[in-house]
Amino acid sequence: MQAWPEFVTVKEVGPRDGLQNESSHIPTNVKIEWINLLSEAGFSSIEISSFVHPKWIPQLKDAKEVAAAIRRNDLITYAALVPNKKGLEAAIETNVDEVAVFMSASESHNQNNINKSIEQTYPVLREVVEEAKHHQKRVRGYLSTVFGCPYEGDVPVQQVIDLAARLLDMGIDEISFGDTIGVANPKQVDDMLTNIKHELDMERVAMHFHNTHGMALANVLVSLEHGITTFDSSLGGLGGCPYAKGASGNLATDDLVHMLHQMGIETGVQEEKMREAASYIQQALGKPLPSHQMQVINRMKQGESL
């Protein structure tokens, strides 16, 4: 077994991926304050919003306002999701540090999520990548449904590798493999990464797990054994995918950070300030967050013994 890494990068995606599924309106000032609290907690990368058309994700229609008002730290990468060149223009206008493009590893999910075939998606992404690079922006790529599709079931590993290679060849700096519906298990992750490491640059690979069936942390452990040191997560376990039925709950940042710190792996994240940020958004949403760490905190607040 490969030795555990000394440091892991935790990319906080809660303000985008966590909030996009929330049905109740979240005021812009709440989003801004939450991102400010996340900045103070020591995250090196925060995905602040998505520059998509409001009709697709109404919750994030205030992306420009949020990006303009947050208190920025030069040591933090503030990222945003962009679907096309128009979204990129808005992201550049608000001076985000990194843009993220996205597509699916399965044809059916890509059609439902982007309304385009996989082949039709590549030219759109290439245009975004080239323009972003022209403006000296770092570009990240999300490849969804790599461990399973809600419409097609299993997705062949070689198909995932081929699509990822095309994205990396396009100039994308880092690719994040997404378990969009939370079906991945440790053996499946082990098999996929065993195959991928022979064909892709693992230093440019990140993992994005969902905890639908409670296996996200187990999948992180397997990924660590393969040398993966970058993970996406959402504070409190917020989020999911609006175009994948049943895809509830991202890997919870607070559970991930707690586990890594208990293992002696550094993240740069201050747990106390992270918990303050989690408590803030929990109170703003008016409902308990699903992460184990927040369940502990909530029980303690109610005077229950652990």
Side-chain angles (χ1 to χ4, degrees), residues 85-114:
K85 192 173 181 180
K86 185 173 182 180
L88 175 64
E89 290 170 355
I92 290 172
E93 184 182 327
T94 54
N95 198 31
V96 298
D97 303 306
E98 176 183 89
V99 297
V101 297
F102 55 98
M103 66 180 295
S104 303
S106 56
E107 188 68 47
S108 299
H109 188 265
N110 206 72
Q111 290 278 6
N112 279 272
N113 196 27
I114 305 178

Side-chain angles (χ1 to χ4, degrees), residues 135-212:
H135 288 272
Q136 289 79 52
K137 301 297 181 184
R138 180 176 164 85
V139 183
R140 195 165 198 249
Y142 284 111
L143 189 59
S144 304
T145 64
V146 301
F147 295 102
C149 171
Y151 310 104
E152 299 176 21
D154 293 339
V155 178
V157 173
Q158 191 58 51
Q159 182 172 310
V160 172
I161 293 172
D162 293 343
L163 295 174
R166 288 181 67 177
L167 289 172
L168 292 172
D169 289 345
M170 196 184 292
I172 285 171
D173 297 288
E174 180 180 75
I175 188 158
S176 177
F177 289 111
D179 179 23
T180 310
I181 55 175
V183 295
N185 65 69
K187 183 181 184 304
Q188 186 182 16
V189 174
D190 179 54
D191 290 343
M192 192 190 86
L193 292 178
T194 297
N195 283 280
I196 281 178
K197 67 172 55 176
H198 297 299
E199 302 194 46
L200 302 178
D201 180 358
M202 296 297 275
E203 292 186 0
R204 297 167 69 186
V205 170
M207 304 303 287
H208 184 119
F209 292 115
H210 282 207
N211 202 40
T212 312

Side-chain angles (χ1 to χ4, degrees), residues 7 41 45 52 80-81 83 104 147 184 196 207 249 279:
F7 189 92
S45 176
V52 299
L81 198 71
S104 303
F147 295 102
I196 281 178
M207 304 303 287
S279 295

Side-chain angles (χ1 to χ4, degrees), residues 175-297:
I175 188 158
S176 177
F177 289 111
D179 179 23
T180 310
I181 55 175
V183 295
N185 65 69
K187 183 181 184 304
Q188 186 182 16
V189 174
D190 179 54
D191 290 343
M192 192 190 86
L193 292 178
T194 297
N195 283 280
I196 281 178
K197 67 172 55 176
H198 297 299
E199 302 194 46
L200 302 178
D201 180 358
M202 296 297 275
E203 292 186 0
R204 297 167 69 186
V205 170
M207 304 303 287
H208 184 119
F209 292 115
H210 282 207
N211 202 40
T212 312
H213 296 283
M215 289 190 280
L217 287 177
N219 292 331
V220 167
L221 285 174
V222 173
S223 302
L224 290 171
E225 291 173 359
H226 281 274
I228 301 294
T229 58
T230 302
F231 297 90
D232 304 341
S233 57
S234 176
L235 191 56
L238 282 171
C241 176
Y243 299 100
K245 186 176 180 181
S248 59
N250 284 288
L251 165 61
T253 302
D254 37 337
D255 290 341
L256 173 63
V257 170
H258 178 77
M259 182 187 78
L260 293 172
H261 287 182
Q262 290 295 306
M263 294 170 65
I265 300 171
E266 294 299 321
T267 65
V269 178
Q270 301 176 49
E271 287 195 68
E272 185 175 345
K273 288 190 174 293
M274 176 184 65
R275 287 192 289 266
E276 290 175 9
S279 295
Y280 173 81
I281 196 63
Q282 176 177 260
Q283 184 175 6
L285 294 173
K287 63 180 182 181
L289 297 181
S291 71
H292 292 286
Q293 300 310 305
M294 287 307 296
Q295 290 178 41
V296 170
I297 289 172

